């Protein structure tokens, strides 16, 4: 299949969060499966010279963005079987930082229009344009008309993936025609209209042929007000075309057996090298050298929804246990300050590293014993998977991808610890259980480590799940057309309610949760497929 994958950040070129990791690793897996996958992203100022030297200038054209016709240059770079296109416009992208500029709406509208105009320039037909998060949300909307007038887009379908519903791209009504170049017909309740404003993510959810999110549990959670940031009704309305597919991680990048990046390599069979990694970590971050005390780690943006309110309110209870703690990350001032204070109060036992550092994060993943991630919401989360890969046991709240990847202590194949409610006492209780296991049952501890280290967190299955979505979207999956049943289309409501979650009365939570656990929830709605088969201009 021909796939155009669009994202506002892609590792290793430019990254602020997990979106970049996914946009870096999923396309590689799709290329390895034999697809023609091309990734398109803005050419930001922050993209380093080492990459620029490998790029080739292809061509330039003028993008139609309402009354504007800004310049758009395209640079190409090929790597690992994937073709990358970098969209050049220095006015929009030669700035510091990726986001947070006064005109982000215009910058990403320009990018989203460039994405639908590039196939004609390349004379290349994508079967699917796969868009990610609000920055690319205009692309499926533009495609609705563009695929009826651009030959290279005849029959092209769109898939929109929600990595985080918190950021939606909300703008005043006045920008519809003047900035986004959409006529007033798009301002209705089943498109971008949202409480009198424009909501780009809402528009993408309606316009896309399929919508996915990054874990089965989050797909269910998104239908509740607690998680959906005002879009629960929109998500529910579109549940017939919504699927949750768990992210993978780059197993080569995060590899405890690799020589070079760690103090000593180790594996599930021979964990002995982890002791050297722990000693190196304690040394590097100023923790007392002690091979026998459990080290609890946090690596994250220090923001509310990652559960740092629970951590900071319980910090003295945590430190009252015989543990050490290391935190790495930047974020809200109150959390940064609380951790700096803790470092002063617990010298040699608490280490606050208020910064971003890839090298230190590897040292922590490998050197720590426990990885604390009590997120209030977590669409997928990659860190808990990376931690498990390094034999560091996660302690998580049961939400989103955390629930789908961490099997709690005591359950068959357990690989970590978890708790259900947004409640610091529950968190501390479970941490206590983990610390107790560390001190009193090393053998059982190692079983959990090995269960995590040997679980397949690669893209191999999830990439196939995306291909299945592409096939449903394009109507090329004739086999499962015959098997489909409409009941199976409903995505998965969560098993438990988080504090404050509202559960719609008519939902069958238990059957949905079963689907999530077994991963069998695969069939599209009959209605949807019937529609895609009717689509104009079937491609080659
Ligand atoms: C966002 C989500 C995170 C997810 C990542 C990649 O950053 O917050 O949970 O893992 O996207 O999909």
């Amino acid at each position: 299949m021909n796939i155009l994958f669009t994202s506002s950040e892609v590792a290793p070129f430019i990254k602020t969060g997990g979106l970049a990791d996914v946009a870096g690793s999923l396309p590689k897996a799709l290329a390895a499966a034999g697809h023609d996958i091309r990734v398109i992203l803005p050419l930001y100022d922050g993209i380093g010279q080492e990459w620029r030297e490998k790029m080739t200038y292809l061509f330039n054209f003028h993008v139609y963005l309402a009354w504007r016709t800004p310049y758009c240059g395209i640079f190409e770079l090929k790597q690992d079987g994937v073709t990358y296109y970098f969209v050049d416009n220095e006015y929009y992208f030669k700035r510091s930082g990726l986001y947070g500029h006064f005109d982000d709406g215009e910058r990403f509208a320009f990018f989203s229009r460039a994405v639908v105009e590039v196939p004609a320039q390349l004379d290349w037909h994508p079967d699917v344009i796969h868009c990610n998060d609000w920055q690319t949300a205009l692309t499926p909307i533009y495609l609705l008309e563009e695929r009826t007038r651009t030959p290279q887009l005849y029959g092209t379908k769109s898939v929109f993936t929600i990595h985080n519903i918190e950021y939606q791209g909300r703008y005043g009504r006045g920008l519809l025609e003047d900035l986004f170049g959409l006529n007033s017909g798009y301002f209705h309740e089943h498109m971008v209209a949202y409480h009198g404003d424009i909501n780009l993510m809402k528009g993408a959810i309606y316009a896309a042929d399929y919508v996915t999110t990054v874990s089965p549990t989050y797909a269910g959670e998104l239908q509740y007000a607690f998680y959906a940031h005002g879009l629960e009704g929109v998500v529910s309305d579109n549940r017939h075309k919504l699927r949750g597919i768990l992210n993978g991680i780059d197993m080569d990048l995060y590899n405890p057996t690799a020589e070079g990046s760690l103090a000593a390599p180790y594996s599930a069979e021979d964990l002995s090298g982890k002791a050297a990694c722990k000693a190196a970590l304690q040394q590097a971050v100023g923790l007392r050298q002690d091979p026998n005390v459990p080290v609890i780690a946090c690596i994250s943006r220090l923001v509310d929804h990652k559960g740092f309110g629970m951590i900071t309110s319980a910090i003295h209870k945590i430190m009252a246990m015989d543990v050490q703690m290391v935190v790495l990350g930047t974020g809200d001032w109150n959390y940064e300050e609380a951790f700096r204070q803790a470092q002063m109060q617990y010298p040699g036992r608490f280490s606050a590293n208020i910064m971003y550092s890839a090298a230190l994060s590897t040292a922590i993943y490998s050197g720590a014993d426990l990885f604390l991630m009590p997120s209030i919401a977590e669409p997928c989360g990659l860190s808990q998977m990376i931690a498990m890969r390094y034999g560091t046991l996660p302690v998580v709240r049961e939400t989103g991808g955390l629930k789908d990847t961490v099997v709690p202590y005591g359950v068959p194949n357990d690989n970590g610890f978890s708790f259900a409610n947004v409640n610091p006492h529950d968190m501390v209780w479970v941490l206590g259980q983990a610390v107790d296991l560390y001190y009193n049952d090393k053998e059982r501890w190692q079983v959990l480590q090995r269960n995590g280290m040997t679980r397949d967190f690669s893209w191999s299955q999830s990439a196939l799940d995306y291909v299945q979505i592409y096939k449903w979207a394009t109507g090329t999956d004739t086999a499962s057309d015959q098997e489909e049943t409409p009941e199976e289309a409903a995505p998965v409501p969560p098993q438990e309610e988080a504090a404050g979650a509202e559960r719609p009365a008519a939902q069958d939570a238990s059957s949905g949760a079963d689907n999530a656990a077994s991963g069998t929830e695969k069939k599209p709605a009959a209605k949807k497929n019937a529609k895609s088969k009717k689509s104009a201009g079937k491609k080659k």
Side-chain angles (χ1 to χ4, degrees):
M1 274 195 166
N2 293 350
I3 303 143
L4 183 58
F5 190 98
T6 165
S7 172
S8 61
E9 49 184 274
V10 180
F13 310 111
I14 190 94
K15 168 174 167 177
T16 70
L19 169 62
D21 291 311
V22 172
S25 49
L26 170 59
K28 277 200 261 177
L30 291 167
H35 299 282
D36 181 356
I37 166 111
R38 310 189 185 188
V39 178
I40 184 163
L41 69 153
L43 183 58
Y44 299 103
D45 197 37
I47 294 181
Q49 192 54 31
E50 70 276 25
W51 299 116
R52 289 172 190 262
E53 280 163 12
K54 294 185 182 162
M55 293 177 194
T56 315
Y57 166 80
L58 286 189
F59 49 73
N60 74 74
F61 59 101
H62 287 266
V63 163
Y64 290 97
L65 185 63
W67 50 265
R68 300 161 190 78
T69 52
Y71 166 91
C72 175
I74 298 292
F75 288 80
E76 181 188 68
L77 186 158
K78 293 190 178 183
Q79 187 163 284
D80 302 320
V82 181
T83 302
Y84 297 91
Y85 298 124
F86 295 85
V87 173
D88 177 37
N89 178 302
E90 295 197 343
Y91 169 69
Y92 289 131
F93 300 126
K94 196 173 166 60
R95 305 184 188 185
S96 66
L98 276 64
Y99 317 121
H101 295 282
F102 77 99
D103 56 350
D104 278 0
E106 179 173 339
R107 295 168 71 227
F108 291 106
F110 161 75
F111 175 61
S112 300
R113 269 237 62 100
V115 170
V116 290
E117 294 187 14
V118 152
Q121 302 290 331
L122 290 166
D123 195 17
W124 177 69
H125 165 80
D127 297 302
V128 172
I129 303 184
H130 186 158
C131 309
N132 296 277
D133 272 354
W134 82 266
Q135 296 90 343
T136 62
L138 276 161
T139 293
I141 301 171
Y142 291 143
L143 186 64
L144 294 173
E145 282 184 47
E146 227 31 71
R147 66 184 167 198
T148 66
R149 61 174 167 237
T150 304
Q152 290 82 357
L153 293 174
Y154 288 168
T156 296
K157 300 294 179 179
S158 60
V159 173
F160 181 71
T161 297
I162 302 169
H163 295 260
N164 195 336
I165 207 161
E166 209 175 326
Y167 309 104
Q168 299 172 359
R170 193 165 166 181
Y171 294 96
R173 161 71 180 85
L175 298 187
L176 190 76
E177 294 94 343
D178 183 68
L179 179 60
F180 299 135
L182 296 170
N183 66 49
S184 58
Y186 285 87
F187 197 76
H188 65 81
E189 277 308 319
H190 289 131
M191 195 47 65
V192 297
Y194 183 81
H195 298 294
D197 286 341
I198 296 167
N199 185 317
L200 298 181
M201 186 174 269
K202 176 181 175 183
I205 292 172
Y206 276 105
D209 295 289
Y210 263 85
V211 178
T212 70
T213 188
V214 289
S215 69
T217 293
Y218 194 59
E221 289 173 343
L222 281 180
Q223 294 169 67
Y224 299 117
F226 183 77
Y227 291 100
H229 293 268
L231 290 186
E232 57 277 9
V234 173
V235 172
S236 282
D237 201 22
N238 288 280
R239 55 188 293 174
H240 60 283
K241 60 176 184 182
L242 170 70
R243 292 293 177 280
I245 300 176
L246 194 66
N247 286 333
I249 56 169
D250 186 329
M251 301 287 267
D252 297 328
L253 190 61
Y254 304 109
N255 183 1
T257 63
E259 304 280 342
S261 60
L262 304 181
Y266 57 95
S267 64
E269 296 75 45
D270 179 6
L271 284 156
S272 54
K274 195 162 164 67
C277 294
K278 181 164 174 174
L281 170 65
Q282 287 171 323
Q283 163 112 46
V285 300
L287 294 173
R288 198 188 314 131
Q289 290 286 322
D290 183 347
N292 298 319
V293 65
V295 176
I296 302 170
C298 291
I299 303 176
S300 178
R301 276 181 302 123
L302 308 179
V303 293
D304 294 342
H305 82 261
K306 295 285 182 182
F308 281 102
M310 279 189 277
I311 297 178
T312 49
S313 71
I315 202 136
H316 303 300
K317 287 204 170 116
I318 297 173
M319 297 311 290
M321 297 188 263
D322 198 0
V323 298
Q324 294 183 347
M325 192 158 175
V326 53
V327 175
L328 172 64
T330 59
D332 294 349
W333 178 86
N334 52 326
Y335 298 131
E336 294 185 353
E337 191 52 25
F339 292 136
R340 284 196 194 99
Q341 294 280 344
Q343 174 166 288
M344 281 192 274
Q345 194 168 357
Y346 301 103
R349 293 186 56 219
F350 193 104
S351 170
N353 304 273
I354 309 302
M355 58 166 125
Y356 173 83
S357 161
L360 187 53
S361 73
T362 309
I364 294 176
Y365 283 124
S366 58
D369 299 291
L370 287 165
F371 191 84
L372 180 58
M373 194 168 174
S375 305
I376 294 173
E378 196 59 74
C380 178
L382 305 173
S383 320
Q384 82 281 9
M385 293 191 257
I386 300 169
M388 284 188 264
R389 180 107 169 101
Y390 285 97
T392 300
L393 303 187
V395 178
V396 303
R397 193 177 88 78
E398 290 154 15
T399 182
L402 297 174
K403 187 170 174 182
D404 293 338
T405 52
V406 176
V407 182
Y409 177 50
V411 172
N413 299 318
D414 44 8
N415 55 19
F417 302 84
S418 67
F419 61 99
N421 296 321
V422 181
N423 181 329
H425 302 288
D426 291 5
M427 180 189 75
V428 171
W429 191 87
V430 167
L431 258 180
Q433 191 184 30
V435 169
D436 185 60
L437 190 73
Y438 178 88
Y439 279 116
N440 297 315
D441 197 345
K442 274 273 142 56
E443 250 176 58
R444 190 72 174 82
W445 180 272
Q446 290 191 353
V447 170
L448 268 72
Q449 284 184 300
R450 294 202 169 96
N451 285 344
M453 291 179 84
T454 52
R455 180 156 163 185
D456 183 7
F457 290 120
S458 75
W459 275 102
S460 46
Q461 181 54 46
S462 297
L464 294 180
D465 292 345
Y466 276 108
V467 172
Q468 185 63 61
I469 298 276
Y470 301 154
K471 286 183 176 169
W472 285 334
T474 52
T476 50
D477 182 40
T478 45
S480 67
D481 276 0
Q482 289 153 15
E483 290 164 26
E484 74 195 20
T485 55
E487 308 84 71
E488 286 176 284
V492 190
Q495 199 162 25
E496 284 92 16
E497 289 179 13
E502 290 168 22
R503 185 186 291 276
Q507 295 209 346
D508 178 354
S510 60
S511 66
D514 286 343
N515 276 350
S518 63
T520 53
E521 190 240 345
K522 293 226 152 108
K523 302 294 188 304
K527 203 167 115 210
K528 182 70 236 159
N529 253 17
K531 196 170 154 203
S532 55
K533 269 183 272 170
K534 269 191 262 152
S535 69
K538 258 288 113 78
K539 65 267 118 232
K540 327 150 195 187

